[in-house]
Amino acid sequence: MLIGSDVTIASDTNNAVYSNVANSVLANGGNVIAPEGNGIYFDTAASDSSITNRVGAFISGPFGLFMAGSGNQIFTNFGSVIATAGGAVGFGSAAHVALSNHGYIGSPAFGIDDESLASDGTINNFHVIEGGGPLGVGIYLKTSHSSITLINNSSKATITASVDAIKVDAGCFTLHNSGRIIGDIVDNGPTGVRDVIINHGKILGSVDLGGGNDLFNGTGGKSGAIFGGDGNDRIIGGKGNDQILGGTGNNKLTGGPGADQFFFDTPATNVNTITDFKPAQHDKIVLSATYFNGLTSSGGTLDASNFHIGATALTPSQHILYTPGNGFLYYDLDGSGQVSGAAHFATIANHLALQLAHIHLTSADFLVEA
């Protein structure tokens, strides 16, 4: 089916364009407008379907378009898709998703609402995907536990939202970002799934990787704070001043260039390895006073009386212990090890380089936060 550039299709009460015909193909060059329902609704059962929205074309409704078929559901956009209430572009639970956006997709709720349980999906963005309003989400994923959604955001592309640029309630994703992402990236899905983010662009928001053994590689890019969550994560910061929170697993953390901060805000029951801690670069280890009891500070910097180089505290106030030979950091609750012993909570992996350069860890390299 072809809708010409001089054609407007509108419905006052329902979907403007509806198809339940197997293997439906639609090319829209005009205007599809539905004040009620979807601009376009494809319910094509177990078959492939394809929609192309051409340059200058327009699709609008409370919901822009929805593809409910169980085959390959392919949407290519060069024009504009604008929802007034719900998702601008939505996919049903049986869809095999393939979306390529070269135009504008926007909504006061979800820019893209992907709830496919069928298989891995792909979202390629070359221009703008937007979720506005008080609950705005750029890309929303509620997919199967085993499926991986591949999201590619190109160098001139933007995924933007008033709240979460990318939000995951189920499934997992791999994100390659070379453009801009405005808003947080949040994985609220079940534990045990692996997210991968390769960021060479800008993420103007925080990143919460959730459960699973995740990878964040920010080499060459910039981002907000990075939260590892549960699992044994690999986190590599970008070229800015990164804030990295490994979380509860045994994580491997790299700050990269810039004055980076490594946060420890969970009980000292796991070990995070910092690969490139550089005191001369003003890197800092930030300790939560909630879980590291007994620490005192001046202007936020750990008091010298709380720090000791050696495996055993010599005074009751020495709570943070460092052994340069192996780079281990310990937390001693009472400064004597009598209550529960000293807990190994971090490893400075480049300890040998620090020693050879005659750069020693001191209390000034630690901050204490409430």
Side-chain angles (χ1 to χ4, degrees), residues 273-295:
T273 298
I274 303 172
T275 69
D276 66 338
F277 191 82
K278 301 181 182 68
Q281 199 167 278
H282 305 293
D283 287 352
K284 299 292 181 182
I285 295 171
V286 185
L287 304 174
S288 167
T290 301
Y291 296 105
F292 292 83
N293 296 319
L295 300 183

Side-chain angles (χ1 to χ4, degrees), residues 99-110:
L99 183 149
S100 183
N101 177 51
H102 301 264
Y104 175 81
I105 296 174
S107 167
F110 301 150

Side-chain angles (χ1 to χ4, degrees), residues 292-295 306 311-321 330-343 345:
F292 292 83
N293 296 319
L295 300 183
N306 289 176
T312 304
L314 302 180
T315 70
S317 66
Q318 291 177 346
H319 300 294
I320 304 300
L321 313 176
Y330 299 91
Y331 167 60
D332 191 332
L333 176 64
D334 63 351
S336 66
Q338 294 180 0
V339 174
S340 58
F345 70 93

Side-chain angles (χ1 to χ4, degrees), residues 2 11 22-23 43 50 59 68 89 99 101 106 138 145 173 209 232 256 293 306 321 328:
L2 171 64
S11 171
N23 302 309
D43 189 7
S50 175
I59 301 170
V89 177
L99 183 149
N101 177 51
H145 180 77
F173 67 96
L209 297 170
N232 302 323
N293 296 319
N306 289 176
L321 313 176
F328 287 5

Side-chain angles (χ1 to χ4, degrees), residues 29-124:
N31 300 304
V32 178
I33 302 170
E36 303 289 339
N38 296 271
I40 300 174
Y41 188 96
F42 270 22
D43 189 7
T44 55
S47 68
D48 299 342
S49 296
S50 175
I51 299 173
T52 300
N53 198 42
R54 294 180 173 178
V55 174
F58 181 72
I59 301 170
S60 180
F63 299 85
L65 70 87
F66 189 79
M67 303 182 76
S70 61
N72 296 316
Q73 303 300 303
I74 303 169
F75 177 58
T76 305
N77 179 51
F78 295 93
S80 298
V81 183
I82 300 175
T84 58
V89 177
F91 297 94
S93 61
H96 299 256
V97 174
L99 183 149
S100 183
N101 177 51
H102 301 264
Y104 175 81
I105 296 174
S107 167
F110 301 150
I112 295 172
D113 181 3
D114 180 2
E115 301 193 28
S116 170
L117 304 177
S119 69
D120 301 342
T122 301
I123 298 172
N124 294 316

